[in-house]
């Protein structure tokens, strides 16, 4: 039995195989080793803010208390919609934080999770970002100079391709193999005028085309059996979660009793028994 504050699972990739680790306080559990076993995860309802550490009755933005949610740049609207970044206007909540995390090079990518999607992330978050979304394939399209630019490029692509993962389809393992290089060529051909307009406005160095530099990355997830029906477990209503672990994908555990998004309960006190 292990106890501690729950965090999102960390991952490693070896020969395309994804390995998951549950971070529970100071404990780190190799979740792949639990496949096929009976496990029990008890979430007792106590929540510690992942920023200030104070106990909070409700978690905001996956792990923050209300005060931190209101003041932190990491919780601002531009995190979900990076094209709305207002750093250049001088109104960022935390300019020093933004210099470290937002005013750095980002990638715009294509991924195959539940279907073809476009996404963005910092360079140091690859391939973690792809794995967190349950992508079986992924390919960088562009390297851009900051987070705002990644959002502006993503908005162009959102007119042609989804920017969200259908998590239910992702957990059914229903995605088919795609030729992402072909999709990249098709989409850039359709959107080149918009891309040229952004470069004319922000400079040629603002967007770097990676068509000739990258390959498609592939990922295999530790899954014994995909569910045919998705039953989501709400730990607020069912704090004692038990079942046989049938698979892990994205940040989800797939049990024979239902699926649970581990990341959703960041900051919650939990006990794991296996």
């Amino acid at each position: 039995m292990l106890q501690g504050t729950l965090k999102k699972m960390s991952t490693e990739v070896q020969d395309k195989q994804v390995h998951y680790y549950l971070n529970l306080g100071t404990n780190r559990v190799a979740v792949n080793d639990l496949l096929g076993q009976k496990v029990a995860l008890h979430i007792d309802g106590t929540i510690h803010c992942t920023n200030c550490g104070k106990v909070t009755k409700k978690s905001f933005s996956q792990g923050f208390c209300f005060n931190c949610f209101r003041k932190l740049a990491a919780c601002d609207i531009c995190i979900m919609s990076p094209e709305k970044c207002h750093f250049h206007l001088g109104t960022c909540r935390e300019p020093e934080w933004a210099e470290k995390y937002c005013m750095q090079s980002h990638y715009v990518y294509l991924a195959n999770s539940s279907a073809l999607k476009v996404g963005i992330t910092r360079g140091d978050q690859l391939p973690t970002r792809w794995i967190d979304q349950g992508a079986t394939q992924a390919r960088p399209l562009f390297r851009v100079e900051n987070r705002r630019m990644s959002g502006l490029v993503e908005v162009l692509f959102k007119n042609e391709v989804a920017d969200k993962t259908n998590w239910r389809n992702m957990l059914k393992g229903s995605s088919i193999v795609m030729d992402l290089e072909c999709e990249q060529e098709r989409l850039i051909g359709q959107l080149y005028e918009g891309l040229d307009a952004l470069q004319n406005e922000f400079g040629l160095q603002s967007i770097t085309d990676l068509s000739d530099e990258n390959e498609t990355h592939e990922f295999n997830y530790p899954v014994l059996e995909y569910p045919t029906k998705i039953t989501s477990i709400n730990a607020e209503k069912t704090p004692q979660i038990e079942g046989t672990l049938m698979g892990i994908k994205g940040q989800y555990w797939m049990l024979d009793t239902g699926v649970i998004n581990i990341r959703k309960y960041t900051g919650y006190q939990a006990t794991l028994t296996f």
Side-chain angles (χ1 to χ4, degrees):
M1 183 174 69
L2 300 174
Q3 294 178 314
T5 303
L6 200 59
K7 300 177 183 176
K8 63 167 280 191
M9 290 182 287
S10 53
T11 58
E12 295 176 357
V13 181
Q14 299 174 9
D15 297 326
K16 301 181 182 181
Q17 180 65 47
V18 180
H19 296 264
Y20 283 94
Y21 300 90
L22 181 69
N23 300 296
L24 196 58
T26 58
N27 301 298
R28 189 170 188 257
V29 182
V31 188
N32 291 42
D33 294 345
L34 303 181
L35 280 177
Q37 296 186 33
K38 290 281 188 179
V39 297
L41 186 67
H42 178 74
I43 297 180
D44 69 14
T46 303
I47 311 169
H48 290 272
C49 175
T50 56
N51 180 62
C52 69
K54 293 180 179 179
V55 175
T56 175
K57 292 183 178 180
K58 184 177 179 180
S59 174
F60 296 86
S61 192
Q62 295 182 333
F64 298 97
C65 67
F66 184 69
N67 286 338
C68 289
F69 173 73
R70 289 289 301 271
K71 73 180 184 182
L72 294 178
C75 301
D76 206 345
I77 188 173
C78 48
I79 296 302
M80 296 300 296
S81 302
E83 72 277 8
K84 297 179 181 180
C85 171
H86 46 96
F87 180 91
H88 61 292
L89 300 176
T91 55
C92 180
R93 294 179 182 180
E94 297 178 278
E96 291 185 1
W97 183 91
E99 287 280 4
K100 183 177 180 180
Y101 293 102
C102 300
M103 306 308 291
Q104 304 293 332
S105 63
H106 280 60
Y107 286 92
V108 181
Y109 62 83
L110 286 180
N112 178 12
S113 49
S114 57
L116 185 66
K117 72 175 293 290
V118 65
I120 66 167
T121 191
R122 291 198 318 273
D124 61 358
Q125 288 298 299
L126 295 179
T128 300
R129 180 63 172 166
W130 296 333
I131 294 169
D132 283 350
Q133 295 178 341
T136 54
Q137 297 172 279
R139 183 181 181 88
L141 298 177
F142 304 102
R143 183 174 59 249
V144 299
E145 61 182 1
N146 55 47
R147 185 173 178 82
R148 182 186 178 216
M149 181 58 64
S150 71
L152 293 173
V153 173
E154 185 184 39
V155 166
L156 290 177
F157 279 79
K158 284 164 61 173
N159 294 323
E160 303 294 334
V161 63
D163 67 325
K164 298 289 190 299
T165 296
N166 184 319
W167 65 271
R168 291 182 178 275
N169 287 342
M170 182 269 288
L171 292 179
K172 290 180 180 179
S174 56
S175 63
I176 61 174
V177 176
M178 295 182 176
D179 187 337
L180 293 190
E181 185 175 5
C182 182
E183 294 292 340
Q184 171 181 307
E185 293 176 358
R186 176 181 68 84
L187 290 166
I188 291 178
Q190 292 176 335
L191 301 169
Y192 73 92
E193 290 184 355
L195 293 167
D196 284 347
L198 286 175
Q199 285 188 311
N200 288 334
E201 181 177 357
F202 295 98
L204 290 176
Q205 301 303 314
S206 62
I207 304 174
T208 301
D209 189 340
L210 300 176
S211 299
D212 299 327
E213 300 180 22
N214 285 284
E215 61 182 0
T216 296
H217 299 259
E218 298 179 350
F219 306 99
N220 298 319
Y221 293 88
V223 179
L224 298 178
E225 182 180 334
Y226 283 101
T228 56
K229 180 182 179 181
I230 304 298
T231 302
S232 181
I233 299 173
N234 184 339
E236 296 282 2
K237 297 178 179 179
T238 310
Q240 183 68 19
I241 301 145
E242 299 182 37
T244 300
L245 184 62
M246 303 303 294
I248 315 109
K249 192 175 184 183
Q251 282 288 317
Y252 285 85
W253 283 13
M254 291 179 269
L255 305 167
D256 61 351
T257 54
V259 303
I260 180 170
N261 182 352
I262 296 297
R263 187 173 190 173
K264 181 178 179 180
Y265 299 100
T266 298
Y268 283 66
Q269 290 295 298
T271 301
L272 175 66
T273 305
F274 56 91

